[in-house]
Amino acid sequence: MDETTHHLSPKVLDRVHVLRFSNPMLVDWDSIEAEISHVTEDPEIKLGLTPHDIGLRAEYPPFDRRNDAASFLAGLAREHLDPLGVEFGMRAVRQSLGYLAAAELTGIEPDKALDNVVRQKILPKIALDTSRPTSDGRKRRDVLVSLREALAERLGPPEAARGEGNSVGDLDRLITLADGSNKVANFWMR
């Protein structure tokens, strides 16, 4: 997202996983070269993927409220997202459960995978005026802070991610930017 693009619609955000990349001009190229300097030209290393490599499209897993991740995501939607006016419904929860199942097969730790879901499917939907109250009279900023606390309790503080960040740190950044930007919390703001 930059000044030449339009915001993604809620319909699109509901169906995709958003990946955020930093500006390539700000990258430490020396460290990248050092990291890959030991890689040799091995014809067995695939540099591209075919549709077959990705696998077949499957139905989303069913929603089971006894599933820990489903319960956690539904709780976030009920307690935090809905009061903020952020839609995170059954399709999004079921898609997230599919992601979590696929992540487990690839060896991604469950809490890291859950953090990815929050970073890729929930936080990109946040674009709101924190000075306006919720329908039950709470301040939206307070609801964002309680969302942050719920995430930190489950996923750990920002430092827990060992250099790559996590959703708690992303939410901290979003809240700080909102406090200094006319109370507008927007995931896409820099």
Side-chain angles (χ1 to χ4, degrees):
M1 298 292 289
D2 63 21
E3 65 279 352
T4 66
T5 59
H6 296 283
H7 288 280
L8 299 172
S9 73
K11 182 177 180 177
V12 170
L13 290 174
D14 196 38
R15 289 162 172 77
V16 301
H17 286 263
V18 174
L19 300 178
R20 191 172 204 159
F21 297 97
S22 60
N23 182 335
M25 297 307 297
L26 305 177
V27 171
D28 180 355
W29 292 101
D30 291 334
S31 68
I32 291 173
E33 286 180 2
E35 183 178 334
I36 63 172
S37 65
H38 67 280
V39 176
T40 61
E41 291 188 28
D42 183 349
E44 297 297 315
I45 296 175
K46 289 185 179 183
L47 298 178
L49 294 174
T50 67
H52 178 74
D53 294 328
I54 295 171
L56 298 175
R57 181 180 173 150
E59 293 293 318
Y60 300 133
F63 177 80
D64 177 1
R65 65 185 176 90
R66 293 174 300 268
N67 175 293
D68 181 55
S71 175
F72 178 73
L73 292 170
L76 290 180
R78 183 178 48 256
E79 300 298 322
H80 308 285
L81 302 176
D82 186 60
L84 292 171
V86 175
E87 291 290 326
F88 194 75
M90 189 63 67
R91 176 191 298 125
V93 171
R94 290 181 63 207
Q95 284 176 337
S96 299
L97 295 175
Y99 175 86
L100 295 172
E104 182 180 1
L105 292 174
T106 64
I108 298 174
E109 295 176 14
D111 281 349
K112 175 60 181 164
L114 190 57
D115 185 64
N116 288 344
V117 165
V118 173
R119 292 179 96 182
Q120 296 170 8
K121 295 204 61 70
I122 294 176
L123 296 185
K125 293 181 166 207
I126 295 178
L128 51 95
D129 181 349
T130 62
S131 67
R132 291 186 43 222
T134 64
S135 59
D136 63 3
R138 293 184 289 167
K139 293 181 180 178
R140 288 180 179 209
R141 185 187 188 284
D142 293 343
V143 177
L144 277 178
V145 170
S146 68
L147 171 61
R148 186 245 185 249
E149 291 167 358
L151 293 174
E153 183 178 321
R154 174 67 184 255
L155 303 172
E159 310 82 56
R162 294 185 294 273
E164 59 187 66
N166 69 4
S167 57
V168 177
D170 290 349
L171 199 48
D172 284 343
R173 179 187 146 282
L174 190 144
I175 292 167
T176 299
L177 286 173
D179 290 344
S181 300
N182 297 325
K183 309 299 180 208
V184 174
N186 187 333
F187 172 82
W188 303 101
M189 193 170 10
R190 295 189 51 100

